Amino acid sequence: MDELKELEGAIDLASNELNQMDDDLNLLQQKKANYLGKKGIIANVMSNMKNLSNDERKELGMKSNKIKVLLEELFEKKRKEIEDNIVERKLKSETIDVTLPGVSMPVGGIHPLNQTVMELEDLYIGMGYRVAEGPEIETDEFCFEKLNLPKGHPARDMQDTFYINPELLLRSQTSPVQVRTMLEEKGKPIKIICPGKVYRRDSDDATHSHQFMQCEGLVLGKDITLADLKGALLEMVRKMFDKDRQIRLRPSFFPFTEPSVEVDVSCGICGGKGCPTCKNTGWIEILGAGMVNDNVLRMSGYDPKEIQGFAFGIGVERITMLKYKIDDIRNFYTNDVRFLNQFKEEK
Ligand code: DAH
């Protein structure tokens, strides 16, 4: 009987094929179909059985069932083997060598202006101040009117301003945060600094930027005097620069303070003797300040007879440029990493 021979040969044929096969589950599936599928060898033998005698059919039936089981076992064993091999290979290729040196990620640093702001915050918080903030889009009322700069006041010209509409503008100074804080505190003492961005319609050059940073200060309480202002600024200058620095106050004008002063710091390059940086004067201007104008106090609900105090406005770029001897304000805003990397803290 040819069919019987074909069946008996199938086992050897299959194991030969499987032995030579790559670890490929799809291929295995195809090969299995060649033997056990609808058109495979077993099915083929069965379909020819109708031409055989009863005895032959019985024998062939039993035989083919046995062979079928053996083939199934053979293919199952191979499937397991392939799967195990695949897993093993994957484990091998994905092992991590924990002894390899790490790859360090490039990290950024804190912008020099933000470093200055953080230093200012630190030292003023140390003196009992708190940090207040206000919006960069401000009302004309808070940015000017309540600071004693009514509409049409000539001192408004000092600050060329970006208006959004007649009542809204990009704040030209951080002083409106004073107004906001006074309105919130309703006559109570205040001790704040307010760092933040301000905007002016200026052409950018080495010393001007249409957007820069200020740090406002406001202290209101009983019996606060200009001497307290001087102390608060001298302390700042000595911590920001060095402990031998001096400051001097020169009379000036700001609509929101009376009297108003401009504050100079002794030149750190020549020690006060005179050099090109201080234009041979020994002094460098760093900020404006003064005693808060009675009108400003009244407009925000404070009684000048009960409470008074001082305010100041530090130019953050200015003191950062002095501290690190930077000669062009545009360096802060052009994002050249060669410049910025110099201010990265060493780890
Ligand atoms: N706001 C002023 C400016 O931008 C700076 C200033 C001066 C702020 C005197 C003050 C101050 O609080 O009292 O030029």
Side-chain angles (χ1 to χ4, degrees):
M1 228 189 335
D2 287 350
E3 285 81 359
L4 213 54
K5 273 204 198 107
E6 196 180 349
L7 274 181
E8 276 162 356
I11 297 284
D12 283 347
L13 210 60
S15 26
N16 266 344
E17 266 191 280
L18 292 183
N19 278 342
Q20 285 162 24
M21 214 186 96
D22 288 338
D23 290 338
D24 182 339
L25 287 170
N26 283 334
L27 191 62
L28 182 75
Q29 197 60 37
Q30 282 170 25
K31 290 206 183 294
K32 187 176 171 184
N34 290 345
Y35 290 89
L36 294 161
K38 273 193 194 130
K39 290 183 183 155
I41 292 174
I42 300 277
N44 195 32
V45 169
M46 303 291 242
S47 70
N48 290 335
M49 279 212 290
K50 54 182 175 306
N51 307 324
L52 302 175
S53 70
N54 271 353
D55 285 351
E56 282 175 330
R57 209 182 292 154
K58 202 172 168 192
E59 193 190 348
L60 194 63
M62 271 158 57
K63 195 83 183 169
S64 69
N65 272 338
K66 253 194 208 148
I67 302 278
K68 199 173 153 191
V69 171
L70 287 176
L71 280 172
E72 264 160 5
E73 277 171 12
L74 211 59
F75 278 98
E76 181 57 18
K77 204 174 129 217
K78 184 67 180 176
R79 190 186 62 80
K80 269 223 167 99
E81 197 183 298
I82 292 178
E83 273 177 2
D84 287 352
N85 284 346
I86 290 174
V87 169
E88 201 174 314
R89 234 174 294 139
K90 211 168 166 193
L91 282 177
K92 250 193 211 141
S93 70
E94 287 176 7
T95 42
I96 295 167
D97 182 353
V98 290
T99 63
L100 282 176
V103 183
S104 63
M105 303 288 271
V107 288
I110 298 172
H111 193 279
L113 292 177
N114 287 335
Q115 287 187 29
T116 300
V117 167
M118 286 160 79
E119 274 180 60
L120 286 169
E121 287 179 353
D122 258 11
L123 75 93
Y124 276 109
I125 286 170
M127 290 192 262
Y129 291 59
R130 77 181 163 82
V131 177
E133 283 183 338
E136 286 172 30
I137 296 176
E138 190 49 282
T139 60
D140 185 272
E141 184 191 5
F142 288 171
C143 197
F144 293 128
E145 279 171 58
K146 278 194 155 36
L147 288 164
N148 213 22
L149 276 135
K151 285 204 166 70
H153 193 290
R156 284 193 180 209
D157 288 350
M158 292 197 304
Q159 300 183 8
D160 271 327
T161 309
F162 290 111
Y163 276 90
I164 289 163
N165 63 37
E167 292 310 323
L168 278 185
L169 46 102
L170 293 182
R171 68 179 177 191
S172 55
Q173 48 186 357
T174 42
S175 306
V177 188
Q178 294 185 19
V179 175
R180 290 177 173 274
T181 310
M182 283 190 273
L183 291 170
E184 266 167 32
E185 295 296 324
K186 299 193 170 60
K188 289 201 293 270
I190 291 176
K191 227 173 154 185
I192 51 160
I193 55 158
C194 340
K197 291 196 190 103
V198 299
Y199 302 82
R200 291 187 194 175
R201 220 154 46 82
D202 252 333
S203 303
D204 295 355
D205 62 23
T207 52
H208 295 86
S209 169
H210 62 281
Q211 181 249 291
F212 57 101
M213 290 188 87
Q214 287 189 330
C215 182
E216 194 80 13
L218 173 69
V219 174
L220 296 180
K222 276 206 180 308
D223 305 322
I224 305 274
T225 70
L226 206 60
D228 297 312
L229 167 67
K230 193 169 179 188
L233 294 177
L234 187 60
E235 183 71 10
M236 182 275 287
V237 158
R238 292 192 167 168
K239 288 222 171 101
M240 289 301 293
F241 299 106
D242 56 74
K243 61 178 181 14
D244 299 322
R245 293 299 179 107
Q246 298 293 335
I247 57 170
R248 73 173 183 186
L249 273 49
R250 281 181 292 108
S252 183
F253 172 79
F254 297 104
F256 27 88
T257 44
E258 181 60 37
S260 302
V261 292
E262 242 145 6
V263 180
D264 298 340
V265 61
S266 55
C267 179
I269 294 187
C270 60
K273 283 193 219 79
C275 70
T277 302
C278 59
K279 297 193 188 92
N280 278 320
T281 62
W283 297 94
I284 299 166
E285 185 193 323
I286 49 163
L287 58 93
M291 300 305 291
V292 180
N293 191 304
D294 285 0
N295 284 339
V296 172
L297 290 172
R298 263 186 239 107
M299 274 188 279
S300 294
Y302 278 70
D303 178 357
K305 286 199 203 71
E306 291 293 318
I307 251 180
Q308 60 288 120
F310 62 77
F312 56 82
I314 304 171
V316 176
E317 281 79 357
R318 186 142 184 82
I319 57 170
T320 312
M321 287 168 83
L322 284 175
K323 192 169 161 147
Y324 299 110
K325 303 192 175 66
I326 296 163
D327 59 6
D328 194 323
I329 195 171
R330 289 169 292 195
N331 283 322
F332 292 125
Y333 296 108
T334 38
N335 288 334
D336 184 335
V337 285
R338 289 168 304 178
F339 170 77
L340 296 172
N341 277 342
Q342 298 175 82
F343 301 91
K344 251 159 92 168
E345 276 171 60
E346 293 301 322
K347 287 243 172 102

